[in-house]
Amino acid sequence: MMKNEKVELSSEQREELLRALKARFEKNMNRHEGFEWAIVQAKLEANTEKLWSLHEMERTGGEPDVVGYDEEMGEYIFYDCSAESPKGRRSVCYDNEALESRKQHKPENSAINMAIDMGIELLTEEQYLELQKLGNFDTKTSSWVKTPSEIRKLGGAIFADYRYGNVFVYHNGADSYYGARGFRGSLRV
């Protein structure tokens, strides 16, 4: 499904998603102290396209949750908050260029392609570091993060994880993929 296609959830899917998001929101108040679920929900219900993107984040194992609010833009910020890199988004290379460059043993997709299809953005390195302040994520997996163009032009891409009590940011060929590496996304609503 491409991002520019009009997508809508059934009323049952919408209600199920809102229940899951509310339960996660209430269970993890440390991620969004001072925020009120009713206000977040109203914003979500007014943005059906964004609700669909959150459904895709949830469906692929991301466990999206509110992690901030942009006062200037009036937007709530959601990140994938699953303990490990989302299971439904692993074994992918970095982007379409990397995917096309592989002659053998191509993965099924790339992180960038999947994010575009879902209507979300890959976390940047800075966002990943902010996420790690909310808990310990990727202790057994790793996640591609948005790679600066100067690194990507040289064939590389960056990923991050949490080991030995520290966040590590590494590099790899953008065409590499591993069963334990996926990507985390962000969405503004």
Side-chain angles (χ1 to χ4, degrees):
M1 177 141 331
M2 298 306 290
K3 182 182 187 287
N4 53 10
E5 289 182 25
K6 184 158 174 55
V7 284
E8 290 212 19
L9 300 176
S10 68
S11 59
E12 184 178 287
Q13 288 174 312
R14 187 172 51 253
E15 291 307 313
E16 185 179 321
L17 176 62
L18 288 171
R19 273 193 303 275
L21 292 172
K22 179 181 181 184
R24 186 172 302 121
F25 182 91
E26 291 173 348
K27 182 179 177 185
N28 298 285
M29 290 304 294
N30 64 304
R31 296 177 185 161
H32 37 254
E33 286 182 32
F35 293 2
E36 293 180 41
W37 173 252
I39 298 170
V40 175
Q41 183 173 339
K43 191 100 160 155
L44 290 172
E45 289 175 339
N47 289 280
T48 56
E49 188 177 312
K50 303 288 180 112
L51 203 55
W52 180 85
S53 293
L54 283 167
H55 178 265
E56 289 299 288
M57 292 170 82
E58 185 75 17
R59 184 184 64 77
T60 56
E63 299 179 19
D65 198 7
V66 177
V67 298
Y69 183 75
D70 183 332
E71 299 251 353
E72 189 175 311
M73 300 299 291
E75 296 172 326
Y76 287 96
I77 302 164
F78 286 80
Y79 287 176
D80 285 308
C81 292
S82 54
E84 302 299 334
S85 197
K87 193 168 188 158
R89 297 186 232 153
R90 296 185 196 164
S91 296
V92 294
C93 61
Y94 181 72
D95 61 10
N96 197 57
E97 182 183 341
L99 183 64
E100 295 301 318
S101 75
R102 287 193 71 98
K103 302 299 178 215
Q104 295 181 5
H105 311 293
K106 284 187 179 193
E108 287 187 31
N109 212 336
S110 75
I112 296 292
N113 287 352
M114 286 183 78
I116 290 169
D117 288 349
M118 295 168 69
I120 64 174
E121 298 280 333
L122 259 67
L123 292 186
T124 65
E125 182 178 347
E126 295 76 23
Q127 289 170 325
Y128 189 88
L129 294 171
E130 287 298 314
L131 174 68
Q132 290 288 0
K133 292 176 184 175
L134 301 174
N136 297 336
F137 300 93
D138 288 335
T139 63
K140 298 174 188 151
T141 58
S142 60
S143 295
W144 289 114
V145 294
K146 195 167 193 168
T147 299
S149 60
E150 58 273 7
I151 294 173
R152 187 60 196 96
K153 284 178 192 171
L154 298 172
I158 59 175
F159 65 95
D161 62 25
Y162 184 85
R163 303 287 194 280
Y164 309 108
N166 288 281
V167 177
F168 290 92
V169 178
Y170 309 89
H171 60 87
N172 222 163
D175 64 343
S176 65
Y177 66 98
Y178 301 94
R181 182 173 309 147
F183 73 93
R184 292 176 180 277
S186 68
L187 180 71
R188 292 171 160 263
V189 181

